[in-house]
Amino acid sequence: MSKIGRNEPCPCGSGKKYKKCCINKGVDNMPIPFSMTPPEIKESLSFKKYVIKHNSVELLKIFSLLQLLPKNQSKEFRLEDIQMTICRNLNSNNSEINYKELKNLIHKEYKYNYREDPCEAAFTENIMFFNGNNIVFPGMTNDSTVLNQNLLHSILFHDNDLLEIVKNKIKEGAFFILHLFNEIAKKIGYTRNIFEDNDWRGKIFFPSSSFLKEHSKYFEFSKEDIQRIYNNLKIKSDIIEEFTSSFSEIENSTFEANTLTLKPFIEYDNKFYLVMPCCQMACLNNFIIETLNKNNQKDLLSVSYRHIVQNETGKYLSSIWRQINTFQIPLLAVEEIKEAKHQLITSYFNIERLIAF
């Protein structure tokens, strides 16, 4: 039986913090109820009504920007639910948004989400690509940046038997995503490897209204904007379509399985909107894996990726092998150690787990 923390959700199910609900009702030692079935996540009707009455496009851009604030990194699931509600209720209403009113409503309707945990990843990280260093946003997924860096390395910089058409498509998709997000990061003023402790079960952070107005425009793109990016990067295909969720996909999504986390753009009123920027690494990983699967190339990637993992692991373990080799060890034992080294490197890693997350 565990004692209930003052700031934990009250076990009565009210949704309030324990200290603001049943702390004085003699339930201090009540066991926190546990169910094998997670609670159902329901759409906030109050927020849905608010979206319908206000400028939904401006709301989309505001909550895209809120995702790219360090204080909100661990609140990704709440922001994801908010964006899905907006996408399902897009409208041409131009009613002005009162930021204080919006902030109060969000703090009331989206107090916490049971899926959220403290973040272990940095808020911004770095990926090296053909255009040099790129600031990236790993979101709540730990080691996602390293995983994608190794994937791109094994596909585009390592000898392999992958089809050239597949490699070119992955190159274009990665180029597009890395460049676009890097430009957004620089406009906001971010550098790589930012880490900030955040109140992971606290309120969604809202900056000043002037900050929102200045930076929320970075998440809207005309078709001419996208074409300029294509021309600049020499992208020949309409690659943004690979990262764009259709409205039928959004309608068929659930709050537990949201298409926007894997394809974070939508197209509305002849413009593109980046709806889930915090899922950059997840969408890049999904794009790579889907491209390989569609062309039956994943097994070939596994061979190349295994070599990358072995090489990287060998670098970290080489000092250990050197220390072992300095001892007077019988020849038979040396061979056994070499075999153990090989087995460790080749079997410690689950290649399937390391390719996709």
Side-chain angles (χ1 to χ4, degrees):
M1 181 179 296
S2 58
K3 190 171 181 178
I4 305 165
R6 288 173 55 82
N7 290 312
E8 291 296 315
C10 187
C12 75
S14 66
K16 298 179 181 179
K17 290 184 178 181
Y18 177 52
K19 67 182 180 182
K20 293 187 177 181
C21 192
C22 296
I23 193 169
N24 296 318
K25 296 181 181 179
V27 295
D28 189 53
N29 292 317
M30 178 191 296
I32 299 174
F34 176 80
S35 172
M36 294 298 291
T37 304
E40 180 184 0
I41 299 174
K42 297 181 180 179
E43 185 174 54
S44 166
L45 295 180
S46 297
F47 182 63
K48 180 178 178 179
K49 291 177 182 177
Y50 183 90
V51 173
I52 293 171
K53 292 180 180 180
H54 292 81
N55 189 325
S56 56
V57 168
E58 287 304 310
L59 286 171
L60 266 185
K61 295 188 289 183
I62 287 171
F63 287 102
S64 291
L65 176 58
L66 291 185
Q67 293 170 49
L68 295 192
L69 299 179
K71 286 182 171 64
N72 287 332
Q73 185 182 5
S74 61
K75 295 144 191 168
E76 177 182 311
F77 287 111
R78 277 177 278 177
L79 292 163
E80 176 187 321
D81 295 345
I82 289 168
Q83 289 292 62
M84 187 155 74
T85 295
I86 299 172
C87 287
R88 285 176 169 174
N89 296 280
L90 288 171
N91 58 73
S92 57
N93 197 322
N94 289 319
S95 297
E96 188 175 349
I97 296 169
N98 182 305
Y99 292 107
K100 184 176 181 180
E101 180 185 11
L102 175 63
K103 177 180 176 180
N104 290 338
L105 176 62
I106 292 301
H107 287 170
K108 177 183 176 183
E109 295 295 315
Y110 296 92
K111 294 178 180 178
Y112 74 97
N113 188 298
Y114 78 91
R115 298 172 294 173
E116 292 173 347
D117 288 317
C119 281
E120 297 179 4
F123 173 66
T124 58
E125 294 179 339
N126 184 72
I127 279 186
M128 285 286 295
F129 203 58
F130 290 100
N131 59 336
N133 290 300
N134 294 273
I135 299 168
V136 297
F137 299 93
M140 293 181 67
T141 310
N142 197 30
D143 294 330
S144 60
T145 303
V146 174
L147 190 155
N148 282 329
Q149 179 73 84
N150 286 338
L151 271 177
L152 293 172
H153 189 181
S154 63
I155 293 168
L156 300 171
F157 300 96
H158 190 274
D159 289 337
N160 56 59
D161 295 322
L162 293 169
L163 294 173
E164 286 301 315
I165 190 172
V166 173
K167 292 197 282 189
N168 286 336
K169 183 172 183 178
I170 290 173
K171 180 181 177 181
E172 287 191 344
F175 230 149
F176 176 75
I177 288 296
L178 293 175
H179 169 80
L180 186 144
F181 278 79
N182 188 55
E183 290 301 304
I184 292 174
K186 290 193 296 185
K187 288 175 182 176
I188 300 176
Y190 291 144
T191 58
R192 55 179 157 168
N193 299 324
I194 295 173
F195 186 91
E196 181 174 322
D197 289 331
N198 49 65
D199 181 13
W200 63 282
R201 279 208 168 165
K203 296 177 180 179
I204 292 174
F205 173 72
F206 279 74
S208 66
S209 58
S210 59
F211 184 93
L212 289 171
K213 290 178 181 178
E214 179 183 358
H215 298 294
S216 61
K217 60 188 177 184
Y218 304 146
F219 303 92
E220 176 181 291
F221 305 88
S222 68
K223 292 192 174 181
E224 291 75 20
D225 294 332
I226 299 301
Q227 189 59 52
R228 278 192 288 272
I229 294 174
Y230 289 170
N231 295 341
N232 182 37
L233 302 178
K234 296 180 171 56
I235 293 175
K236 297 179 180 179
S237 63
D238 195 9
I239 201 68
I240 194 173
E241 294 296 335
E242 299 290 334
F243 301 98
T244 302
S245 291
S246 68
F247 287 103
S248 61
E249 288 174 323
I250 294 171
E251 282 299 325
N252 292 325
S253 290
T254 65
F255 286 97
E256 288 82 3
N258 188 346
T259 181
L260 293 169
T261 62
L262 301 179
K263 295 193 287 185
F265 288 85
I266 64 165
E267 184 178 1
Y268 177 72
D269 200 19
N270 223 28
K271 290 184 178 181
F272 288 97
Y273 296 91
L274 177 53
V275 177
M276 288 299 298
C278 66
C279 297
Q280 180 191 11
M281 289 294 93
C283 85
L284 178 58
N285 184 264
N286 178 71
F287 164 72
I288 294 171
I289 301 308
E290 285 297 304
T291 302
L292 292 165
N293 284 337
K294 288 175 182 177
N295 292 276
N296 298 315
Q297 298 281 286
K298 193 172 178 181
D299 289 342
L300 291 175
L301 169 68
S302 296
V303 174
S304 176
Y305 193 78
R306 186 180 293 275
H307 290 157
I308 295 292
V309 172
Q310 290 173 350
N311 290 338
E312 292 300 311
T313 308
K315 291 178 186 177
Y316 288 109
L317 297 178
S318 59
S319 61
I320 298 176
W321 310 135
R322 283 197 297 269
Q323 292 178 34
I324 291 176
N325 290 334
T326 59
F327 294 106
Q328 296 295 325
I329 302 173
L331 182 61
L332 179 61
V334 170
E335 292 303 315
E336 290 177 348
I337 289 172
K338 287 182 178 179
E339 176 62 21
K341 171 184 175 181
H342 175 75
Q343 290 296 326
L344 175 62
I345 293 176
T346 57
S347 65
Y348 179 73
F349 296 97
N350 180 328
I351 296 298
E352 288 298 314
R353 181 177 64 82
L354 284 175
I355 288 176
F357 54 85

